[in-house]
Amino acid sequence: MSMIVEQALLVSKKKSNTLFLRIQSLVHGEAILRDVESNAEFHFQIDQLKNLIQDEVFTLGTEDDLPALLTELDNQPSPELEQSMNEQRKRLLYVEGAVQANISYGSLEKLASYLEIKSLEIGDRKPPSPITLYRWVKAYVDSNYDKSSLIPAFLKSGNRNAKVPVEHDLLIKKVLGTFDTNIKAPTAYKRYLKQLKELNIEREKSGQSQYKPISLESMRKRLKVRSNGELSRS
């Protein structure tokens, strides 16, 4: 383990910050790490460091792994997006089950009976009410079975960019969350276009329409708003 650690690059990601730490030395039971970007120095007991690696607080890699690690970290969803995706998946389980079983979703009694068993099947301790499930199913069917219709309403209500669909807006926020506030707009826009292309491929496979990209100028405005928000909190 010590030989592996000695040659390693440690990667830590918390919220939107990614830290790349090189092992400088392992002496007398202590490991000295240095931040690749800021040059800040950190001291850990070797046993403590090993435990952090084992607990996946740090990702263990080498310099050759750096591009792949960057891609992996960039693709991790933000807490907001992850919460939304989890809730959307849960709603989809209820809704698709009801649709496939051909349950008359206009009958609250039948929905109540369905919910009682379905919640046990998927291990959901807080199932929705019959009227809530009715609204989910109706939105899903009326949208021609578009999964984005099941994105939580609280995220939709907080969406400041009404012209951009919620799923698309969350993607933009996810991309911006991988950068510092001083990132140049063209750099952020390039990564955004790449990830939007991947999202549109998935939407096309499921028969959904593709999202049109926002303009570079719109990206600049988002970055400006984000930067001003950071300054107001400092």
Side-chain angles (χ1 to χ4, degrees), residues 10-21 35 37 66 69-70 73-74 76 177-180:
L10 302 181
V11 185
S12 173
K13 182 181 176 69
K14 293 183 178 180
K15 295 184 179 179
S16 61
N17 297 320
T18 304
L19 298 178
F20 295 93
L21 307 168
D35 187 333
E37 183 176 359
L66 187 55
L69 287 171
L70 278 169
L73 291 171
D74 285 346
Q76 291 180 354
T178 64
F179 294 110
D180 293 330

Side-chain angles (χ1 to χ4, degrees), residues 190-205:
K190 182 178 179 180
R191 183 173 296 179
Y192 152 70
L193 290 177
K194 178 182 177 182
Q195 295 201 18
L196 179 63
K197 181 179 179 180
E198 294 173 358
L199 175 61
N200 278 333
I201 290 174
E202 293 301 316
R203 288 181 61 84
E204 186 176 14
K205 288 179 181 177

Side-chain angles (χ1 to χ4, degrees), residues 51-113:
N51 289 334
L52 290 171
I53 294 171
Q54 185 175 355
D55 294 340
E56 298 184 348
V57 174
F58 291 126
T59 299
L60 187 64
T62 66
E63 295 290 337
D64 292 338
D65 298 326
L66 187 55
L69 287 171
L70 278 169
T71 300
E72 179 184 347
L73 291 171
D74 285 346
N75 288 335
Q76 291 180 354
S78 65
E80 180 187 49
L81 180 57
E82 188 171 12
Q83 179 187 5
S84 171
M85 291 168 63
N86 289 338
E87 176 64 21
Q88 184 186 27
R89 279 192 288 267
K90 185 186 82 169
R91 294 183 180 190
L92 193 60
L93 288 173
Y94 280 116
V95 169
E96 286 190 333
V99 171
Q100 291 170 6
N102 200 27
I103 294 176
S104 175
Y105 62 91
S107 170
L108 296 184
E109 289 184 2
K110 291 183 178 180
L111 288 178
S113 298

Side-chain angles (χ1 to χ4, degrees), residues 94-95 98 111 114-115 128-138:
Y94 280 116
V95 169
L111 288 178
Y114 165 76
L115 281 167
S129 66
I131 189 64
T132 296
L133 179 58
Y134 163 77
R135 290 170 181 157
W136 291 352
V137 175
K138 187 176 187 302

